[in-house]
Amino acid sequence: MTPLLQISNLHASIDDREILKGINLTVNAGEIHAIMGPNGSGKSTLASVLAGREDYTVTAGSVVFQGKELLDLVPEERSREGLFLAFQYPVEIPGVSTANFVKTAVNEVRKHRGQEPLDPAAFLALMRERMALVEMDPSFLQRSLNEGFSGGEKKRNEVFQMAMLDPVLSVLDETDSGLDIDALRIVASGVNALRRSDNATIVITHYQRLLDHIVPDFVHVLWNGRIVKSGDKSLALELEQRGYDWLKQEAAVEA
Amino acid sequence: MSQHSLVELAQSRVAVHAEAAVEAADGRLGYLRREGLREFVRMGIPTTRHEEWKYTNVFPFIGQDFTYRPTHWGSVSAQNTMPASAKEIASALGQHVSVRIVDGCVIVDDSTLPSGVEIIELTPELVENDAAIAGALGSGAPMNTHPFVALNTALLESGVVLRIGKDVRVEPPIHVSIETSDSTSPTLITPRLLVIAEQGAEVDIVQSHHVFGEATVLDATVVEFVVSAMAHIRYFKIADDADAARSISSVSADVHRDATFTSHALSIGGRFVRNDLALRLCEPSSQGFLFGVSLLADHEYTDNHTVVDHMVPHCHSEELYKGIYDGSSTGVFNGKIYVRPQAQKTTAYQSNHTLLLSSKAQVQAKPQLEIWADDVKCSHGATMGQVDEEAIFYFRSRGIDKDTAKALLTYAFITEVVEKISLDGLRELLTRRIARKLSTDTLLS
Amino acid sequence: MDQQTILDEIVGSDYKYGFTSNIEQELLPKGLNEDVIRFISDRKNEPEWMLEWRLKAFEQWKSMKEPMWPNVDYPPVDFQDIIYWAAPKKKPELNSLDEVDPEILATFEKLGIPLEEQKVLAGVAVDFVLDSVSVKTTFQDKLAELGIIFCPISEALENHPELVRKYIGSVVPTNDNFYAALNSAVFSDGSFVYIPKGVRCPIELSTYFRINARNTGQFERTLIIADEGSYVSYLEGCTAPQRDENQLHAAVVELVAHDRAEIKYSTVQNWFPGDKDGKGGIYNFVTKRGICAGVDSKISWTQVETGSAITWKYPSVVLKGDNSIGEFYSVAVTNNKQQADTGTKMIHIGRNTRSRIVSKGISAGVSQNSYRGLVKVLPVAQGARNFSQCDSLLIGDACGAHTFPYLEVANNSATVEHEATTSKIGEDMLFYCNQRGIDTEAAVALIVNGYAREVLNQLPMEFAVEAQKLLAISLEGSVG
């Protein structure tokens, strides 16, 4: 089986400072991968590099996504190919309603796939249905995108957009940060509802808590720009109990 | 004194010094005086056709025959004549360092001077021998755009240099009391202060102006601040109630890396107060906080002109000016935020709020943003109105009569700014003064 | 691709309405003197008093100086190097479209002006000014039934001289400012609207201006009077051909609203802004002012300004009648080397007068965009209220946005609120849109239309759609 995503020896830096120092990761369809690690280990950088944020320079390596070199594509092409990044800090865009934004995005993706734009009625119905997944009130559709949304509302809006765009690979960047337990449960159930055998999810998180709700097939520990340990979900529990220090020492010894 | 005679005065003073000194030894100070004169002649006395003086008309008083009291250094003997209003501030400050400029005569009480603080007489020799002072003097004050700064500079013969040494945190505030005692003839004074806070220094400076008599006093004070890296200066300028004062004061501050300049323009009255404040954030991570209170009644007049110049990236400025205008008073606020092309990541906020208490009171506001960089967050807001009728009704419904309600709400309006005064004694004094002026003192006690 | 590359790559979106029509024209030699004014007045068969009025304005103009205070910078205008009269030679006397010069019709087509029958039936009456003389007016008969006068001002001078004489110069006096004086002396034509008492004008009145003849200054004069209890919505839209020489445009618009009358005046201005190097482009020095003369009257200005090399324009309202309302909604876009100094004046005189200002500036390229506005509350304006919102949006790092509000309040029962913000279309915003599959150009259009929504909502429907497209076109290639 061809993997959905194949990251090989990925190096990336910002302002001449190397953050990713050789990431290798394979994600197959139907899988959920969790990437954990202490602050500053490079977790969010990995998400940003996958989505194509220009602040980062890729200095070596490749990322093959559904047989295409992802790094050759501009951010909107990556999105249209089916890569979705749920932002850690979703941006507020004053004056642009959530409905208008999502409609524009969905129609861009449809155009890319050679589909006709959805008619307004069908679109509205679809939006209402997908909003229900994350228990979002339809009144949010008319509000400016993320403007004045609480932290939890912003994250639910991210998952709602994920549901609308129907990505092949979703990268959730610390989607749990700042959420209370109720919001976390809602967000997680939204993500779980979208899980299929032909898509995959990478969950980036600092805490084991989220993984009680979104159960990963694999857990990877990122430290100092490298994946230093991989395992199943029990690794997350072990990290919860023992912290990261033992891994750092292990990694230091190996290095 | 007409423009002509002011020019003549400046010309003659500049000439005296030029003759006294050999051309070469005249140095930086002589150069500044000549430049000041040239600029003053070029600009002349500003008319209300001048954009920056649109609302501020100096002509009703500028024609008087002023006696010029040049700045010079004297002895401690005049101590006992301190006016009551100055004493009130001095006692509110508790232990402090006292610098008085009485009719131009500088009197320093250095008995309480902490180590690391210098209060120095500004002389040609000092300017020639101290590169830091020579570099700072005249570099911030807007001599080329402000006619009265040009006049002050043309008449720059002596002055006060305050220097706070590296990493010195000055506990007692420094009180600069600018007084005029002549009650019979119109007086012109042109005090000049240069404050240099060296790296990491911290100091509070309280400047107040006091006029004794009935005769007009034209007070054209110029203060320049250099706030070196990581230094913090808090500056309080208090305008006196005196009817005879015509205060045209110009303050400039150059703020360097990680340093902060905080200013409070506190006008609890004043027949004619014009404050110009030019803040330059000239190194990254510098910050400026500008606060102002203008509480005016009768025919009082206060014009606050501020310019915040964001010269480099990552600087922050905040400005909050509030005015309450009663009687036939007029308040002016003219605030400019200027963000230069390279000053990315600037955050600059300005707000100006006014309550008009009487039908004859007026307000003029010109809050301006001039933005030349793109990655910035800047805003300004200005409101003018009255005490909220809804709030008054709420008070009345709880049994508080209308006048009391209005007074309390008016007082509450201004306290937001007064609360920012970090010196406890001064804050309490200002609070009392404001309460007295609003006749809410009995309610609040 | 970095910002600069994107910017460089797409900046070359050329002005889409740059073409010249070859109608034979009658031109007066360049230059301005009394004889020129007499010639203009004579050609238009004006009454004697009109000539006297023009000559008085000319005298005043000669002693006035060009205003230098706006925050714009341009080479001095040589007023003797301008042609003050140009008229199509074939004097049109038209009853149907068939009689219109085919060249003109072709021009209409290119501009997409709704002059064809179906467009007219869609409810737009058009008074088309090609350079100086109105050549086609439609729906006049239908409007005449209601007593509405909508015609070229030259025609109004012939048929309704008493109305013109009563109101012309009553809002913008001949000596109001340098350009108003010049316009008063040499105005060639423009529109005249009179809505009688109690009449609601059933259609949007519309005029398209177009500067066509080479080196021809345009000096339109528009006068709209809404009598007691009447209502009119007036649309003004403009596009101009591409030129190398700078062209001067100094129009005067006067609005008079009597008791309970309402005038809604909407403008989409898309004159040639100059090329990306700042070459060519229109100088747009316009005086627009309305007076809410009667009680409960209302004047509303809405403008979408994307064109012109230099804009100097402050549509204003004098709120004289008690309870009258003045509004100003503006989107001003500057790109490349455009400069705009625009805003409004709200003068509160009557009791309980209200004004609202919503100004949205968008600066891109190396342009400069200034808001300048005055809110003045006179001592007699008991209970006056104003709210102003002035926002600036910056695109790219080489442009400037400036806000110069003047607030003068001399009545303590007045409430004046002013808010202003400056922000940029941030990279984080664009990246977020990119990540959702929206490319950068589309993202800018989306964000800008959202930002300007409050103003665009004020436009009549057919204009709003056009304006939205215009915003996107104006900002093509400005991304950063």
Side-chain angles (χ1 to χ4, degrees):
Chain A
M1 182 174 70
T2 318
L4 208 58
L5 182 78
Q6 179 84 56
I7 303 176
S8 315
N9 190 33
L10 184 63
H11 288 253
S13 53
I14 184 165
D15 301 337
D16 294 328
R17 199 157 42 88
E18 190 168 54
I19 310 287
L20 301 184
K21 299 172 180 172
I23 301 275
N24 293 294
L25 180 68
T26 304
V27 178
N28 293 303
E31 294 175 351
I32 293 182
H33 291 245
I35 296 180
M36 302 185 71
N39 286 328
S41 59
K43 302 191 299 288
S44 284
T45 299
L46 177 61
S48 293
V49 169
L50 289 178
R53 200 186 275 276
E54 283 171 9
D55 302 346
Y56 297 93
T57 312
V58 173
T59 51
S62 77
V63 179
V64 178
F65 179 54
Q66 295 181 294
K68 277 189 190 164
E69 178 52 61
L70 193 70
L71 300 174
D72 292 343
L73 304 178
V74 297
E76 58 268 32
E77 289 166 344
R78 299 182 194 198
S79 166
R80 292 168 195 170
E81 288 291 332
L83 177 79
F84 183 90
L85 171 65
F87 284 64
Q88 184 179 2
Y89 303 110
V91 177
E92 301 188 358
I93 305 184
V96 177
S97 70
T98 303
N100 195 9
F101 179 79
V102 173
K103 191 179 82 187
T104 308
V106 167
N107 283 335
E108 287 291 346
V109 172
R110 291 182 67 89
K111 193 163 77 188
H112 182 74
R113 294 175 184 162
Q115 297 166 319
E116 288 294 307
L118 279 176
D119 79 85
F123 193 78
L124 190 63
L126 184 65
M127 283 201 292
R128 285 169 179 276
E129 178 203 316
R130 298 291 152 93
M131 285 186 105
L133 267 183
V134 285
E135 300 178 29
M136 241 172 111
D137 191 279
S139 67
F140 279 94
L141 288 174
Q142 294 315 315
R143 287 175 54 182
S144 289
L145 188 70
N146 291 325
E147 198 181 40
F149 287 25
S150 71
E153 286 162 354
K154 282 180 183 170
K155 296 298 173 72
R156 281 195 269 169
N157 191 12
E158 291 294 284
V159 178
F160 159 60
Q161 290 180 43
M162 177 175 151
M164 289 300 294
L165 290 168
D166 192 19
V168 178
L169 176 67
S170 303
V171 180
L172 310 184
D173 186 10
E174 308 225 3
T175 298
D176 53 335
S177 65
L179 295 188
D180 62 30
I181 192 68
D182 286 339
L184 185 75
R185 186 186 49 74
I186 293 167
V187 165
S189 72
V191 172
N192 288 330
L194 297 170
R195 184 174 186 180
R196 290 197 309 257
S197 61
D198 61 347
N199 63 18
T201 304
I202 297 175
V203 181
I204 291 172
T205 183
H206 192 67
Y207 307 102
Q208 191 272 334
R209 190 181 66 164
L210 177 66
L211 305 181
D212 290 341
H213 299 274
I214 302 174
V215 180
D217 302 300
F218 302 94
V219 174
H220 311 277
V221 180
L222 194 60
W223 184 67
N224 198 19
R226 287 189 191 90
I227 290 176
V228 293
K229 197 168 183 72
S230 297
D232 61 15
K233 63 182 178 187
S234 65
L235 178 57
L237 291 167
E238 192 174 356
L239 287 169
E240 181 79 357
Q241 281 158 16
R242 297 178 62 189
Y244 288 102
D245 286 350
W246 61 281
L247 269 173
K248 289 180 191 174
Q249 282 155 13
E250 234 172 60
V253 169
E254 279 172 25
Chain B
M1 197 179 273
S2 63
Q3 176 178 331
H4 180 68
S5 42
L6 280 174
V7 169
E8 266 183 4
L9 165 70
Q11 267 168 343
S12 67
R13 302 293 304 194
V14 171
V16 166
H17 288 281
E19 277 167 30
V22 186
E23 189 66 34
D26 201 7
R28 169 99 182 138
L29 209 52
Y31 167 79
L32 283 174
R33 280 196 296 262
R34 286 191 299 277
E35 279 297 295
L37 175 62
R38 203 169 57 84
E39 288 298 300
F40 182 62
V41 171
R42 181 181 64 78
M43 287 182 279
I45 307 276
T47 68
T48 52
R49 299 239 295 274
H50 191 302
E51 183 66 30
E52 297 301 318
W53 296 80
K54 193 171 152 110
Y55 305 115
T56 302
N57 188 1
V58 299
F59 280 84
F61 61 83
I62 204 78
Q64 299 184 50
D65 190 15
F66 291 106
T67 304
Y68 176 50
R69 302 285 190 177
T71 308
H72 61 285
W73 280 54
S75 66
V76 193
S77 64
Q79 186 77 30
N80 47 6
T81 64
M82 196 176 207
S85 58
K87 274 187 195 150
E88 196 183 16
I89 291 168
S91 76
L93 293 176
Q95 197 203 1
H96 66 276
V97 178
S98 167
V99 178
R100 296 174 64 201
I101 305 177
V102 183
D103 297 327
C105 178
V106 181
I107 305 157
V108 179
D109 173 11
D110 49 14
S111 62
T112 52
L113 200 63
S115 66
V117 180
E118 297 171 90
I119 302 178
I120 327 165
E121 179 176 1
L122 183 68
T123 61
E125 294 72 35
L126 178 72
V127 176
E128 288 318 295
N129 297 327
D130 192 315
I133 289 172
L137 187 67
S139 70
M143 178 168 69
N144 306 317
T145 51
H146 192 307
F148 291 92
V149 172
L151 177 65
N152 178 294
T153 308
L155 298 170
L156 179 51
E157 297 164 22
S158 181
V160 180
V161 178
L162 262 165
R163 181 153 54 191
I164 298 91
K166 187 167 180 288
D167 294 325
V168 173
R169 192 195 183 294
V170 187
E171 280 297 340
I174 297 172
H175 181 206
V176 180
S177 176
I178 297 170
E179 306 161 24
T180 36
S181 62
D182 191 332
S183 61
T184 53
S185 62
T187 304
L188 167 68
I189 54 169
T190 58
R192 182 91 175 206
L193 255 79
L194 172 63
V195 181
I196 299 175
E198 292 183 351
Q199 187 179 317
E202 201 170 323
V203 67
D204 294 280
I205 294 170
V206 178
Q207 177 188 323
S208 58
H209 298 245
H210 310 274
V211 171
F212 240 3
E214 303 297 314
T216 302
V217 174
L218 174 54
D219 172 355
T221 298
V222 172
V223 186
E224 292 175 289
F225 289 94
V226 176
V227 194
S228 307
M230 295 193 294
H232 298 275
I233 291 184
R234 290 173 293 270
Y235 170 66
F236 307 85
K237 183 194 177 275
I238 302 163
D240 186 46
D241 294 327
D243 234 25
R246 301 290 181 272
S247 168
I248 300 175
S249 129
S250 167
V251 175
S252 60
D254 284 4
V255 191
H256 296 266
R257 190 175 295 273
D258 299 310
T260 306
F261 180 76
T262 306
S263 150
H264 296 260
L266 305 160
S267 302
I268 316 301
R271 179 68 182 78
F272 184 97
V273 179
R274 162 75 182 233
N275 291 323
D276 278 69
L277 174 51
L279 181 71
R280 297 201 297 190
L281 299 171
C282 40
E283 286 183 357
S285 304
S286 55
Q287 298 191 88
F289 297 89
L290 311 185
F291 302 110
V293 168
S294 301
L295 182 58
L296 309 181
D298 304 323
H299 282 89
E300 289 170 342
Y301 179 89
T302 293
D303 178 354
N304 279 303
H305 263 61
T306 65
V307 179
V308 178
D309 185 352
H310 282 262
M311 301 169 74
V312 292
H314 292 284
C315 295
H316 173 77
S317 68
E318 254 178 79
E319 194 168 357
L320 174 65
Y321 274 70
K322 283 197 168 187
I324 297 179
Y325 309 132
D326 204 347
S328 299
S329 66
T330 299
V332 180
F333 174 78
N334 189 320
K336 181 183 278 189
I337 295 173
Y338 193 90
V339 180
R340 300 203 191 198
Q342 64 275 22
Q344 302 293 355
K345 305 284 179 194
T346 287
T347 49
Y349 306 106
Q350 179 198 82
S351 55
N352 167 235
H353 303 291
T354 303
L355 280 187
L356 289 177
L357 296 187
S358 106
S359 60
K360 291 207 173 79
Q362 290 192 34
V363 55
Q364 265 94 35
K366 196 181 163 196
Q368 306 164 71
L369 298 175
E370 274 202 68
I371 316 289
W372 300 82
D374 70 325
D375 193 0
V376 299
K377 276 192 181 148
C378 300
S379 70
H380 69 223
T383 59
M384 289 144 195
Q386 323 80 64
V387 181
D388 184 7
E389 289 295 331
E390 268 301 302
I392 291 177
F393 180 73
Y394 186 83
F395 274 62
R396 293 174 76 182
S397 73
R398 298 292 183 271
I400 299 163
D401 72 75
K402 194 176 169 182
D403 287 346
T404 307
K406 209 167 169 178
L408 287 170
L409 286 164
T410 306
Y411 178 79
F413 173 82
I414 209 104
T415 44
E416 181 191 356
V417 194
V418 179
E419 292 298 322
K420 309 266 186 196
I421 299 173
S422 49
L423 296 175
D424 294 341
L426 189 65
R427 185 179 59 250
E428 284 154 21
L429 172 67
L430 264 300
T431 305
R432 282 200 303 278
R433 280 207 180 178
I434 288 167
R436 199 188 309 157
K437 187 148 182 172
L438 289 172
S439 310
T440 48
D441 42 354
T442 49
L443 301 170
L444 296 164
S445 57
Chain C
M1 197 164 13
D2 66 15
Q3 287 181 28
Q4 194 54 43
T5 329
I6 299 175
L7 205 121
D8 291 344
E9 214 168 78
I10 338 176
V11 144
S13 85
D14 283 333
Y15 186 70
K16 296 194 173 169
Y17 296 136
F19 52 85
T20 312
S21 53
N22 293 314
I23 307 156
E24 270 189 273
Q25 285 191 319
E26 180 188 67
L27 301 174
L28 203 64
K30 287 175 178 177
L32 181 56
N33 53 47
E34 250 189 60
D35 291 341
V36 169
I37 293 163
R38 288 179 189 281
F39 177 86
I40 294 169
S41 189
D42 180 61
R43 289 308 300 252
K44 306 186 79 66
N45 296 319
E46 286 179 356
E48 185 61 25
W49 64 264
M50 194 68 237
L51 174 63
E52 294 302 322
W53 193 83
R54 286 175 179 274
L55 290 173
K56 188 187 86 190
F58 181 59
E59 279 308 308
Q60 289 166 334
W61 177 74
K62 283 194 289 188
S63 67
M64 295 169 90
K65 285 199 174 70
E66 252 179 284
M68 287 300 154
W69 46 263
N71 194 23
V72 295
D73 187 27
Y74 57 94
V77 177
D78 182 352
F79 292 94
Q80 296 304 335
D81 195 39
I82 291 169
I83 297 166
Y84 288 88
W85 172 258
K89 258 186 181 169
K90 292 177 189 169
K91 177 75 179 168
E93 286 166 13
L94 306 167
N95 298 310
S96 80
L97 283 177
D98 304 340
E99 296 171 38
V100 177
D101 187 320
E103 276 275 351
I104 294 178
L105 280 181
T107 305
F108 291 163
E109 293 288 342
K110 276 191 250 180
L111 282 171
I113 286 174
L115 200 85
E116 308 92 313
E117 282 302 313
Q118 76 267 25
K119 293 283 172 67
V120 175
L121 290 170
V124 181
V126 175
D127 176 23
F128 183 88
V129 176
L130 185 107
D131 287 327
S132 305
V133 176
S134 299
V135 291
K136 177 68 191 170
T137 303
T138 54
F139 261 46
Q140 234 162 340
D141 294 344
K142 188 181 168 187
L143 295 174
E145 278 171 34
L146 291 162
I148 293 171
I149 305 166
F150 175 40
C151 65
I153 203 162
S154 52
E155 218 174 289
L157 271 163
E158 280 178 38
N159 301 331
H160 311 280
E162 72 296 338
L163 275 177
V164 179
R165 190 172 190 175
K166 182 173 172 189
Y167 289 106
I168 195 166
S170 70
V171 189
V172 179
T174 51
N175 63 350
D176 186 79
N177 66 69
F178 182 83
Y179 292 106
L182 179 64
N183 175 287
S184 301
V186 303
F187 76 87
S188 40
D189 216 329
S191 296
F192 178 84
V193 176
Y194 174 79
I195 314 290
K197 282 183 189 174
V199 172
R200 268 190 82 84
C201 184
I203 50 172
E204 314 272 0
L205 298 182
S206 164
T207 302
Y208 279 75
F209 293 108
R210 183 164 146 78
I211 299 174
N212 191 277
R214 204 165 254 271
N215 276 348
T216 306
Q218 280 265 303
F219 303 96
E220 294 90 356
R221 186 105 196 170
T222 301
L223 178 54
I224 299 177
I225 299 131
D227 217 326
E228 288 173 27
S230 67
Y231 167 84
V232 61
S233 168
Y234 188 87
L235 317 182
E236 172 202 322
C238 358
T239 57
Q242 188 155 356
R243 290 287 179 203
D244 281 340
E245 295 89 347
N246 286 308
Q247 292 178 305
L248 176 65
H249 182 91
V252 170
V253 176
E254 295 177 281
L255 312 181
V256 180
H258 288 289
D259 289 356
R260 296 176 306 284
E262 179 177 348
I263 302 174
K264 190 172 164 59
Y265 194 104
S266 311
T267 306
V268 171
Q269 188 266 112
N270 182 29
W271 282 326
F272 180 49
D275 65 15
K276 63 185 192 313
D277 301 318
K279 197 158 181 259
I282 304 294
Y283 289 2
N284 187 19
F285 303 140
V286 182
T287 307
K288 289 183 167 180
R289 192 177 305 150
I291 181 164
C292 284
V295 297
D296 301 321
S297 56
K298 179 176 176 183
I299 289 177
S300 180
W301 298 100
T302 304
Q303 59 175 30
V304 175
E305 302 270 327
T306 59
S308 296
I310 315 271
T311 300
W312 179 95
K313 177 180 177 186
Y314 315 92
S316 305
V317 183
V318 179
L319 296 147
K320 186 161 168 279
D322 290 350
N323 313 318
S324 60
I325 298 171
E327 292 177 338
F328 175 75
Y329 294 94
S330 171
V331 176
V333 178
T334 53
N335 197 355
N336 298 319
K337 292 201 166 167
Q338 283 177 276
Q339 304 173 61
D341 192 303
T342 183
T344 183
K345 291 188 226 174
M346 293 290 173
I347 314 292
H348 291 260
I349 303 170
R351 297 166 70 90
N352 302 317
T353 47
R354 280 177 287 158
S355 64
R356 182 177 176 84
I357 298 169
V358 178
S359 165
K360 303 274 183 177
I362 301 167
S363 325
V366 290
S367 68
Q368 296 299 329
N369 201 333
S370 302
Y371 168 83
R372 187 184 304 277
L374 169 69
V375 174
K376 192 179 178 84
V377 177
L378 275 72
V380 289
Q382 198 68 15
R385 299 181 78 87
N386 159 268
F387 175 78
S388 307
Q389 176 74 47
C390 303
D391 295 329
S392 301
L393 191 65
L394 296 154
I395 305 174
D397 57 6
C399 53
H402 317 288
T403 317
F404 305 105
Y406 296 70
L407 312 171
E408 303 181 4
V409 179
N411 184 300
N412 71 318
S413 65
T415 305
V416 173
E417 285 177 78
H418 173 94
E419 284 172 21
T421 63
T422 300
S423 54
K424 73 172 292 192
I425 294 187
E427 279 163 51
D428 50 350
M429 257 187 217
L430 294 175
F431 181 68
Y432 188 87
C433 294
N434 291 161
Q435 210 299 307
R436 300 296 139 90
I438 302 167
D439 66 44
T440 304
E441 287 283 339
V444 170
L446 188 73
I447 293 166
V448 164
N449 279 318
Y451 166 79
R453 189 167 59 178
E454 195 179 348
V455 175
L456 297 176
N457 282 348
Q458 296 296 322
L459 289 171
M461 185 64 88
E462 57 268 45
F463 244 28
V465 175
E466 190 180 321
Q468 252 188 29
K469 284 183 191 151
L470 205 55
L471 287 184
I473 291 170
S474 308
L475 289 167
E476 267 173 29
S478 64
V479 164

